[in-house]
Short mmCIF file of all heavy atoms in Angstrom, two decimals:
data_model
loop_
_atom_site.label_atom_id
_atom_site.label_comp_id
_atom_site.label_asym_id
_atom_site.label_seq_id
_atom_site.Cartn_x
_atom_site.Cartn_y
_atom_site.Cartn_z
N GLY R 1 6.61 -11.67 -16.07
CA GLY R 1 5.36 -12.04 -15.41
C GLY R 1 4.63 -10.82 -14.88
O GLY R 1 5.26 -9.89 -14.36
N VAL R 2 3.31 -10.80 -15.06
CA VAL R 2 2.43 -9.80 -14.45
C VAL R 2 1.26 -10.56 -13.85
O VAL R 2 0.57 -11.29 -14.56
CB VAL R 2 1.92 -8.77 -15.48
CG1 VAL R 2 0.96 -7.78 -14.82
CG2 VAL R 2 3.08 -8.02 -16.14
N ASN R 3 1.05 -10.44 -12.55
CA ASN R 3 0.01 -11.26 -11.92
C ASN R 3 -1.38 -10.71 -12.19
O ASN R 3 -1.56 -9.55 -12.56
CB ASN R 3 0.27 -11.39 -10.41
CG ASN R 3 0.11 -10.07 -9.67
OD1 ASN R 3 0.16 -9.00 -10.25
ND2 ASN R 3 -0.06 -10.16 -8.36
N SER R 4 -2.38 -11.57 -12.01
CA SER R 4 -3.75 -11.20 -12.32
C SER R 4 -4.30 -10.15 -11.37
O SER R 4 -5.21 -9.40 -11.73
CB SER R 4 -4.65 -12.45 -12.30
OG SER R 4 -4.60 -13.08 -11.02
N GLU R 5 -3.75 -10.07 -10.17
CA GLU R 5 -4.18 -9.03 -9.22
C GLU R 5 -3.63 -7.66 -9.60
O GLU R 5 -4.06 -6.64 -9.07
CB GLU R 5 -3.72 -9.39 -7.80
CG GLU R 5 -4.39 -10.61 -7.19
CD GLU R 5 -3.79 -11.91 -7.68
OE1 GLU R 5 -2.72 -11.87 -8.34
OE2 GLU R 5 -4.39 -12.98 -7.42
N PHE R 6 -2.70 -7.66 -10.52
CA PHE R 6 -2.07 -6.44 -11.02
C PHE R 6 -1.41 -5.63 -9.91
O PHE R 6 -1.70 -4.46 -9.71
CB PHE R 6 -3.08 -5.58 -11.78
CG PHE R 6 -2.43 -4.55 -12.67
CD1 PHE R 6 -1.48 -4.93 -13.60
CD2 PHE R 6 -2.77 -3.21 -12.58
CE1 PHE R 6 -0.88 -3.98 -14.43
CE2 PHE R 6 -2.18 -2.26 -13.40
CZ PHE R 6 -1.22 -2.64 -14.33
N ASP R 7 -0.49 -6.31 -9.19
CA ASP R 7 0.32 -5.59 -8.22
C ASP R 7 1.76 -6.13 -8.18
O ASP R 7 2.54 -5.73 -7.32
CB ASP R 7 -0.31 -5.64 -6.82
CG ASP R 7 -0.47 -7.05 -6.26
OD1 ASP R 7 -0.02 -8.02 -6.92
OD2 ASP R 7 -1.06 -7.18 -5.17
N GLN R 8 2.09 -7.01 -9.14
CA GLN R 8 3.44 -7.55 -9.19
C GLN R 8 3.91 -7.72 -10.64
O GLN R 8 3.13 -8.16 -11.50
CB GLN R 8 3.54 -8.92 -8.50
CG GLN R 8 3.36 -8.88 -6.99
CD GLN R 8 3.54 -10.25 -6.36
OE1 GLN R 8 4.05 -11.18 -7.01
NE2 GLN R 8 3.13 -10.40 -5.13
N VAL R 9 5.16 -7.39 -10.87
CA VAL R 9 5.84 -7.67 -12.13
C VAL R 9 7.08 -8.49 -11.81
O VAL R 9 7.76 -8.23 -10.81
CB VAL R 9 6.24 -6.37 -12.86
CG1 VAL R 9 7.17 -6.67 -14.05
CG2 VAL R 9 5.01 -5.62 -13.35
N ARG R 10 7.39 -9.47 -12.65
CA ARG R 10 8.57 -10.31 -12.44
C ARG R 10 9.55 -10.13 -13.59
O ARG R 10 9.16 -10.12 -14.76
CB ARG R 10 8.17 -11.78 -12.31
CG ARG R 10 9.35 -12.76 -12.28
CD ARG R 10 8.90 -14.18 -11.92
NE ARG R 10 7.80 -14.67 -12.73
CZ ARG R 10 7.94 -15.33 -13.87
NH1 ARG R 10 9.15 -15.58 -14.35
NH2 ARG R 10 6.89 -15.76 -14.54
N VAL R 11 10.83 -10.01 -13.24
CA VAL R 11 11.90 -10.02 -14.23
C VAL R 11 12.97 -11.00 -13.76
O VAL R 11 13.01 -11.37 -12.58
CB VAL R 11 12.52 -8.62 -14.45
CG1 VAL R 11 11.46 -7.62 -14.88
CG2 VAL R 11 13.22 -8.12 -13.19
N HIS R 12 13.82 -11.44 -14.67
CA HIS R 12 14.90 -12.36 -14.33
C HIS R 12 16.24 -11.63 -14.37
O HIS R 12 16.39 -10.65 -15.10
CB HIS R 12 14.91 -13.55 -15.30
CG HIS R 12 13.70 -14.41 -15.18
ND1 HIS R 12 13.42 -15.44 -16.08
CD2 HIS R 12 12.69 -14.43 -14.28
CE1 HIS R 12 12.29 -16.03 -15.73
NE2 HIS R 12 11.83 -15.43 -14.64
N SER R 13 17.19 -12.14 -13.59
CA SER R 13 18.47 -11.44 -13.49
C SER R 13 19.56 -12.39 -13.03
O SER R 13 19.30 -13.38 -12.34
CB SER R 13 18.33 -10.28 -12.50
OG SER R 13 19.55 -9.61 -12.31
N ASP R 14 20.80 -12.06 -13.39
CA ASP R 14 21.97 -12.77 -12.88
C ASP R 14 22.23 -12.24 -11.47
O ASP R 14 22.35 -11.03 -11.26
CB ASP R 14 23.17 -12.48 -13.78
CG ASP R 14 24.37 -13.39 -13.48
OD1 ASP R 14 24.74 -13.49 -12.29
OD2 ASP R 14 24.93 -13.97 -14.42
N GLN R 15 22.27 -13.14 -10.50
CA GLN R 15 22.41 -12.69 -9.12
C GLN R 15 23.75 -12.03 -8.84
O GLN R 15 23.92 -11.36 -7.82
CB GLN R 15 22.17 -13.82 -8.13
CG GLN R 15 23.19 -14.92 -8.12
CD GLN R 15 23.01 -15.80 -6.90
OE1 GLN R 15 22.81 -15.33 -5.79
NE2 GLN R 15 23.03 -17.11 -7.10
N ARG R 16 24.72 -12.16 -9.75
CA ARG R 16 26.00 -11.49 -9.60
C ARG R 16 25.98 -10.06 -10.13
O ARG R 16 26.98 -9.33 -10.00
CB ARG R 16 27.08 -12.29 -10.33
CG ARG R 16 27.25 -13.72 -9.88
CD ARG R 16 28.12 -14.51 -10.86
NE ARG R 16 27.48 -14.63 -12.16
CZ ARG R 16 28.05 -15.19 -13.23
NH1 ARG R 16 29.29 -15.67 -13.13
NH2 ARG R 16 27.41 -15.26 -14.38
N SER R 17 24.89 -9.65 -10.74
CA SER R 17 24.83 -8.36 -11.42
C SER R 17 24.81 -7.20 -10.43
O SER R 17 24.38 -7.31 -9.28
CB SER R 17 23.59 -8.29 -12.31
OG SER R 17 22.41 -8.25 -11.51
N LEU R 18 25.28 -6.05 -10.92
CA LEU R 18 25.22 -4.83 -10.12
C LEU R 18 23.77 -4.44 -9.85
O LEU R 18 23.46 -3.88 -8.78
CB LEU R 18 25.95 -3.71 -10.86
CG LEU R 18 26.08 -2.37 -10.12
CD1 LEU R 18 26.81 -2.54 -8.80
CD2 LEU R 18 26.79 -1.35 -11.01
N LYS R 19 22.89 -4.75 -10.78
CA LYS R 19 21.47 -4.47 -10.59
C LYS R 19 20.95 -5.12 -9.31
O LYS R 19 20.25 -4.48 -8.52
CB LYS R 19 20.69 -4.97 -11.81
CG LYS R 19 19.17 -4.96 -11.64
CD LYS R 19 18.47 -5.23 -12.95
CE LYS R 19 18.53 -6.68 -13.40
NZ LYS R 19 19.67 -6.98 -14.26
N ASN R 20 21.29 -6.38 -9.10
CA ASN R 20 20.84 -7.07 -7.89
C ASN R 20 21.41 -6.43 -6.64
O ASN R 20 20.71 -6.28 -5.63
CB ASN R 20 21.23 -8.55 -7.95
CG ASN R 20 20.29 -9.37 -8.81
OD1 ASN R 20 19.78 -8.88 -9.81
ND2 ASN R 20 20.07 -10.61 -8.44
N GLN R 21 22.68 -6.04 -6.69
CA GLN R 21 23.28 -5.37 -5.54
C GLN R 21 22.54 -4.07 -5.22
O GLN R 21 22.28 -3.76 -4.05
CB GLN R 21 24.75 -5.08 -5.82
CG GLN R 21 25.62 -6.31 -6.00
CD GLN R 21 27.05 -5.94 -6.35
OE1 GLN R 21 27.61 -5.00 -5.80
NE2 GLN R 21 27.64 -6.68 -7.28
N GLN R 22 22.21 -3.33 -6.27
CA GLN R 22 21.49 -2.08 -6.08
C GLN R 22 20.13 -2.31 -5.43
O GLN R 22 19.74 -1.62 -4.48
CB GLN R 22 21.31 -1.36 -7.42
CG GLN R 22 22.59 -0.85 -8.03
CD GLN R 22 22.36 -0.25 -9.40
OE1 GLN R 22 21.22 -0.26 -9.91
NE2 GLN R 22 23.41 0.26 -10.02
N LEU R 23 19.40 -3.30 -5.95
CA LEU R 23 18.04 -3.53 -5.47
C LEU R 23 18.03 -4.09 -4.06
O LEU R 23 17.06 -3.90 -3.32
CB LEU R 23 17.31 -4.48 -6.42
CG LEU R 23 17.10 -3.94 -7.84
CD1 LEU R 23 16.39 -4.96 -8.70
CD2 LEU R 23 16.31 -2.63 -7.81
N GLN R 24 19.07 -4.78 -3.67
CA GLN R 24 19.13 -5.28 -2.30
C GLN R 24 19.43 -4.16 -1.32
O GLN R 24 19.08 -4.25 -0.14
CB GLN R 24 20.18 -6.39 -2.21
CG GLN R 24 19.70 -7.69 -2.87
CD GLN R 24 20.81 -8.72 -3.06
OE1 GLN R 24 21.99 -8.38 -3.13
NE2 GLN R 24 20.44 -9.98 -3.15
N GLN R 25 20.05 -3.09 -1.80
CA GLN R 25 20.34 -1.95 -0.93
C GLN R 25 19.25 -0.90 -0.97
O GLN R 25 18.88 -0.33 0.05
CB GLN R 25 21.68 -1.32 -1.32
CG GLN R 25 22.05 -0.10 -0.47
CD GLN R 25 23.48 0.34 -0.70
OE1 GLN R 25 24.39 -0.47 -0.66
NE2 GLN R 25 23.68 1.63 -0.94
N HIS R 26 18.75 -0.61 -2.21
CA HIS R 26 17.69 0.39 -2.39
C HIS R 26 16.52 -0.31 -3.07
O HIS R 26 16.57 -0.59 -4.27
CB HIS R 26 18.17 1.55 -3.27
CG HIS R 26 19.36 2.27 -2.73
ND1 HIS R 26 19.30 3.10 -1.63
CD2 HIS R 26 20.65 2.30 -3.15
CE1 HIS R 26 20.50 3.61 -1.40
NE2 HIS R 26 21.34 3.13 -2.30
N LYS R 27 15.46 -0.57 -2.36
CA LYS R 27 14.34 -1.36 -2.89
C LYS R 27 13.38 -0.56 -3.75
O LYS R 27 12.62 -1.12 -4.53
CB LYS R 27 13.58 -2.02 -1.74
CG LYS R 27 14.39 -3.08 -0.99
CD LYS R 27 13.53 -3.78 0.05
CE LYS R 27 14.32 -4.88 0.75
NZ LYS R 27 14.70 -5.96 -0.20
N ASP R 28 13.38 0.76 -3.64
CA ASP R 28 12.46 1.58 -4.42
C ASP R 28 12.83 1.54 -5.90
O ASP R 28 13.98 1.80 -6.27
CB ASP R 28 12.47 3.02 -3.92
CG ASP R 28 11.87 3.15 -2.53
OD1 ASP R 28 10.87 2.48 -2.27
OD2 ASP R 28 12.42 3.92 -1.72
N VAL R 29 11.87 1.21 -6.76
CA VAL R 29 12.12 1.10 -8.19
C VAL R 29 10.96 1.69 -8.99
O VAL R 29 9.87 1.94 -8.45
CB VAL R 29 12.32 -0.37 -8.63
CG1 VAL R 29 13.56 -0.96 -7.99
CG2 VAL R 29 11.09 -1.21 -8.30
N ALA R 30 11.20 1.90 -10.27
CA ALA R 30 10.17 2.33 -11.20
C ALA R 30 10.31 1.54 -12.49
O ALA R 30 11.42 1.14 -12.87
CB ALA R 30 10.27 3.82 -11.48
N LEU R 31 9.19 1.28 -13.15
CA LEU R 31 9.16 0.59 -14.44
C LEU R 31 8.49 1.50 -15.46
O LEU R 31 7.50 2.17 -15.16
CB LEU R 31 8.37 -0.72 -14.34
CG LEU R 31 8.97 -1.86 -13.51
CD1 LEU R 31 7.96 -2.97 -13.37
CD2 LEU R 31 10.26 -2.37 -14.14
N LEU R 32 9.04 1.52 -16.67
CA LEU R 32 8.48 2.31 -17.75
C LEU R 32 8.25 1.43 -18.96
O LEU R 32 9.18 0.81 -19.47
CB LEU R 32 9.42 3.46 -18.12
CG LEU R 32 9.06 4.25 -19.38
CD1 LEU R 32 7.74 4.99 -19.20
CD2 LEU R 32 10.18 5.22 -19.74
N TYR R 33 7.00 1.36 -19.41
CA TYR R 33 6.63 0.66 -20.63
C TYR R 33 6.14 1.69 -21.65
O TYR R 33 5.43 2.65 -21.28
CB TYR R 33 5.48 -0.32 -20.38
CG TYR R 33 5.76 -1.46 -19.43
CD1 TYR R 33 5.72 -1.27 -18.05
CD2 TYR R 33 6.01 -2.75 -19.90
CE1 TYR R 33 5.94 -2.33 -17.17
CE2 TYR R 33 6.24 -3.80 -19.03
CZ TYR R 33 6.20 -3.58 -17.67
OH TYR R 33 6.41 -4.63 -16.80
N TYR R 34 6.47 1.48 -22.92
CA TYR R 34 5.91 2.35 -23.96
C TYR R 34 5.65 1.55 -25.22
O TYR R 34 6.52 0.80 -25.69
CB TYR R 34 6.84 3.53 -24.28
CG TYR R 34 6.21 4.45 -25.31
CD1 TYR R 34 5.05 5.17 -24.99
CD2 TYR R 34 6.73 4.56 -26.60
CE1 TYR R 34 4.44 5.98 -25.93
CE2 TYR R 34 6.13 5.37 -27.54
CZ TYR R 34 4.98 6.09 -27.20
OH TYR R 34 4.36 6.88 -28.13
N SER R 35 4.47 1.73 -25.77
CA SER R 35 4.08 1.09 -27.02
C SER R 35 3.85 2.17 -28.07
O SER R 35 2.84 2.88 -28.03
CB SER R 35 2.79 0.28 -26.83
OG SER R 35 2.28 -0.14 -28.09
N PRO R 36 4.79 2.34 -29.02
CA PRO R 36 4.58 3.36 -30.06
C PRO R 36 3.40 3.05 -30.96
O PRO R 36 2.76 3.97 -31.48
CB PRO R 36 5.90 3.35 -30.84
CG PRO R 36 6.54 2.04 -30.53
CD PRO R 36 6.09 1.66 -29.15
N GLN R 37 3.11 1.77 -31.18
CA GLN R 37 1.98 1.40 -32.02
C GLN R 37 0.65 1.83 -31.40
O GLN R 37 -0.28 2.23 -32.09
CB GLN R 37 1.96 -0.11 -32.26
CG GLN R 37 3.13 -0.61 -33.08
CD GLN R 37 4.32 -0.99 -32.22
OE1 GLN R 37 4.42 -0.58 -31.05
NE2 GLN R 37 5.24 -1.76 -32.78
N GLN R 38 0.58 1.75 -30.08
CA GLN R 38 -0.67 2.07 -29.37
C GLN R 38 -0.62 3.45 -28.74
O GLN R 38 -1.62 3.89 -28.16
CB GLN R 38 -0.93 1.01 -28.30
CG GLN R 38 -1.14 -0.39 -28.85
CD GLN R 38 -0.93 -1.45 -27.78
OE1 GLN R 38 0.11 -1.54 -27.15
NE2 GLN R 38 -1.95 -2.26 -27.56
N LYS R 39 0.52 4.13 -28.83
CA LYS R 39 0.71 5.45 -28.20
C LYS R 39 0.38 5.39 -26.72
O LYS R 39 -0.23 6.30 -26.15
CB LYS R 39 -0.17 6.50 -28.88
CG LYS R 39 0.02 6.62 -30.38
CD LYS R 39 1.43 7.10 -30.73
CE LYS R 39 1.58 7.30 -32.22
NZ LYS R 39 2.97 7.65 -32.60
#
């Protein structure tokens, strides 16, 4: 999900995952998208 205001991205996750544990402790994150077709 990407909202129309363009300030939120949504992903899904298993709440038992290490990823969730990490994000609950360290909230700072980065996202990287790349489209080779569009460069």
Side-chain angles (χ1 to χ4, degrees):
V2 178
N3 67 341
S4 58
E5 292 80 10
F6 198 53
D7 60 4
Q8 291 183 14
V9 170
R10 172 170 52 90
V11 302
H12 294 171
S13 177
D14 191 310
Q15 67 167 315
R16 302 168 296 175
S17 68
L18 184 59
K19 170 170 74 269
N20 280 35
Q21 296 177 40
Q22 292 176 358
L23 296 179
Q24 287 168 336
Q25 179 169 310
H26 301 288
K27 293 185 178 296
D28 292 320
V29 296
L31 292 172
L32 171 65
Y33 297 80
Y34 182 66
S35 170
Q37 294 89 342
Q38 298 161 303
K39 304 296 184 185

